[in-house]
Amino acid sequence: MPRVTEAYKEERRAAILEGALHCFAEKGYAATTIDDIVRHLGISKGAIYNYFSSKEDIYAQIMDSRMNRLVESLRAGDEETASSAAKLRMLVQRMTGQAIEDLRRLLSFHLEYSLYASRHDELKRSIEKHDNAAIAFVAELIAEGKRSGEFRAEVDERLAASMFWALRDGIALDVLSHGGQEEYAQLMRGMEDMLFRYLQG
Amino acid sequence: MPRVTEAYKEERRAAILEGALHCFAEKGYAATTIDDIVRHLGISKGAIYNYFSSKEDIYAQIMDSRMNRLVESLRAGDEETASSAAKLRMLVQRMTGQAIEDLRRLLSFHLEYSLYASRHDELKRSIEKHDNAAIAFVAELIAEGKRSGEFRAEVDERLAASMFWALRDGIALDVLSHGGQEEYAQLMRGMEDMLFRYLQG
Amino acid sequence: MPRVTEAYKEERRAAILEGALHCFAEKGYAATTIDDIVRHLGISKGAIYNYFSSKEDIYAQIMDSRMNRLVESLRAGDEETASSAAKLRMLVQRMTGQAIEDLRRLLSFHLEYSLYASRHDELKRSIEKHDNAAIAFVAELIAEGKRSGEFRAEVDERLAASMFWALRDGIALDVLSHGGQEEYAQLMRGMEDMLFRYLQG
Amino acid sequence: MPRVTEAYKEERRAAILEGALHCFAEKGYAATTIDDIVRHLGISKGAIYNYFSSKEDIYAQIMDSRMNRLVESLRAGDEETASSAAKLRMLVQRMTGQAIEDLRRLLSFHLEYSLYASRHDELKRSIEKHDNAAIAFVAELIAEGKRSGEFRAEVDERLAASMFWALRDGIALDVLSHGGQEEYAQLMRGMEDMLFRYLQG
DNA sequence: GATGAATGAGTGTTCATTCAT
DNA sequence: TATGAATGAACACTCATTCAT
């Protein structure tokens, strides 16, 4: 008979993940100390270790939870009625509408994590899994478009989907260094334009 | 060993930079210790501090020297006779030809540095300068193509140049996580295709 | 071990201060390493940094606490009934009675600290404050003696008080280099003699 | 047949001593690096080690040379005609006349050296020798005064001489922390007054 | 004799993790 | 479970000294 409910624990876990994400996004993984996180959350240092086994564990779990939500949200926007092209366009536009500040913070987190994971095999696998899900989602959209004749039959949907994400990630990376909201929006419109010319010929 | 020539010192400096780059690319900046670098180079710890003032100084100087060489090499491939489209195609193909292993190592270095610099204002400025040089180079190529009628008059050359690099960086980032030489080459061919459809309409 | 009482922490802080004083007095500030202190106290290196922010912080806080206690102890010996001359004589005699070994250790600490502080403005101010308190205490004694007619009306009490401490410090400095208990006692008796001849004419 | 004359070498040695004294007085022994000295003098690091075996060796030789000159200068002021009391008064007044800035720098050097030497037996012996010479010089003056009836017969000349220097050192120490030229002069006049009252009853 | 690059033991400090309370 | 003081390996950096030129 546990003292605390499962729900309470789950809430606590999520709060720590959120607080840690805030710190990691702000200062970077290596520069963030457990003390930073603990201070930010107003909890004790020990508490963290009741929920996570290490700093790296927190890192990985943040990413995992974010990725799951990302794929969910991808699906969520999926209106039944719309054409494939419309869906894809909507996806780009939802991205375009994101506040640059959120983007910057989150993106730098994602980028750093990818880098980090690329040097740690265990993490690499989970990244790959999630990335594949994201690619598959877009690839499926494109495949639909091909079937409905909206997109050229010659495009390789997996390749195109990979390029979709590469473009998005590259733009985000760019914006990280320079550029504000307007420049980001402009690049995203450029991406939309380029992408549809490619898909539609 | 004093009364050394300037050339000797410059060589030494370059060797340290190279050794450090090797280590940073391998393990990441934060995870690389001065001892790692020193061990890799077979020199003493103190020696490093005769040439650089801190670990971060080394980091910044590696990037600076790499960026300078990148822009130079961009210019170097510039054949006089070729058309703009041919030059641009050549540029993409030179990138496509790169060994994935080199790319992976170098790219992860670049990415990590961009991330790091985005949180350190002094470094940020130098990154921006170099990035602008790279963008300007491609933008000029595209502008030439517009003038010669090879490219659509409507494309904004700066935007297109930005997207050129975003695409390239995004692909590299992708390849960092998964994919090998073949997947990289395929993505780069996709990039070429997408890019020219966009530029040529 | 958390949820410790304030008293426990205060005790710990005091113990570190004491241990550090021991080491600084023995080997000097610069020659004493944090490892020396830690070894002497049988605690871990990190523990020190839970209580103090740096080696210099420890140094300054030792001095502060010693100075506070010194001024307190000066006041503590202050018998109500005695005449001013008797009080002053008592003060000198209490100093004379000190064990030379204690004196040597403590004095070399004080001297070194004064030297150190004289080159560090923040510390300088606190030294001055404490020194002034010590001078003011003796000056008040002398002023009382002047009022009661025990001391010459012409003596400037602040000047005389400064010389009181100069003499004491000078003697201690001397004893640091040579001399043992007997020589110290002799010098202090000489100080008493010289001082009272000066005050009483 | 040496390449350079003895005189040249002696000059060089002296210059290094002087430069090192400047640095030690400014920043303190521990805080002064060989690089500081070398930079101040505009010579090479190796050069120093042609003349001295270590940083400590320099330290000790500075003190040695200063002490020798001090005792010489004490004797130099010794006018034949004057009475003992006049000679002693003159000695105090010469000290009083010193520029506070010189004093501060030099005194902090002396003090620090005494402290340092008190923890290093080899150096301690040489300090004692020099201190004894200084005490003996003043003691002899006082003894003369006793013989000529200028000073009280009861004073112990060695004790009085020790107190003379203690007072002077104590005043200098005081001035190190606070006080400027005027305060110093006032204290020195106080010392003169106190001293003569003691010697003459 | 002069030079100054090289050396590497040594320093103060940090920080993820543990565990007694 | 929560706490936060304790731990100690690890780190970037310093600096007296050496020695090839």
Side-chain angles (χ1 to χ4, degrees), chain B residues 175-194:
Chain B
V175 167
L176 208 63
S177 302
H178 18 272
Q181 186 79 54
E182 182 42 41
E183 181 164 358
Y184 170 63
Q186 200 188 343
L187 281 164
M188 288 303 288
R189 281 193 300 271
M191 166 175 167
E192 192 182 336
D193 191 9
M194 187 181 268

Side-chain angles (χ1 to χ4, degrees), chain D residues 15 48 52 70 76 89 106 111 121 146 150 152 176 184 195 198 200-201:
Chain D
I48 285 204
F52 302 95
L70 175 69
R89 222 176 262 281
L106 260 20
L111 248 32
D121 283 346
K146 278 168 64 179
E150 293 169 88
R152 292 188 295 127
L176 209 64
Y184 171 63
L195 189 68
Y198 178 72
Q200 302 180 321

Side-chain angles (χ1 to χ4, degrees), chain C residues 104-120:
Chain C
R104 215 194 286 268
R105 294 164 37 74
L106 262 17
L107 247 299
S108 66
F109 176 85
H110 273 238
L111 246 33
E112 190 178 19
Y113 188 86
S114 292
L115 230 32
Y116 186 87
S118 77
R119 296 197 251 254
H120 297 258

Side-chain angles (χ1 to χ4, degrees), chain C residues 1-2 8 12 44 46-47 51:
Chain C
M1 204 172 300
Y8 169 87
R12 207 93 211 283
S44 77
Y51 294 90

Side-chain angles (χ1 to χ4, degrees), chain A residues 159-179:
Chain A
L159 178 62
S162 286
M163 287 205 303
F164 173 92
W165 290 110
L167 209 32
R168 211 290 300 252
D169 290 346
I171 286 171
L173 185 57
D174 246 51
V175 168
L176 209 63
S177 302
H178 17 275

Side-chain angles (χ1 to χ4, degrees), chain B residues 76-110:
Chain B
D78 220 18
E79 300 303 308
E80 308 231 337
T81 51
S83 71
S84 300
K87 281 179 191 163
L88 195 59
R89 221 176 264 280
M90 178 101 83
L91 182 56
V92 178
Q93 283 164 6
R94 259 195 295 149
M95 287 172 176
T96 308
Q98 281 184 289
I100 186 76
E101 266 321 308
D102 286 5
L103 195 82
R104 213 194 286 269
R105 294 164 37 74
L106 261 19
L107 246 300
S108 66
F109 177 85
H110 272 239

Side-chain angles (χ1 to χ4, degrees), chain C residues 116-132:
Chain C
Y116 186 87
S118 77
R119 296 197 251 254
H120 297 258
D121 283 345
E122 337 77 71
L123 306 183
K124 210 171 168 175
R125 274 188 289 279
S126 117
I127 279 272
E128 278 168 20
K129 214 187 58 195
H130 288 304
D131 279 5
N132 275 334

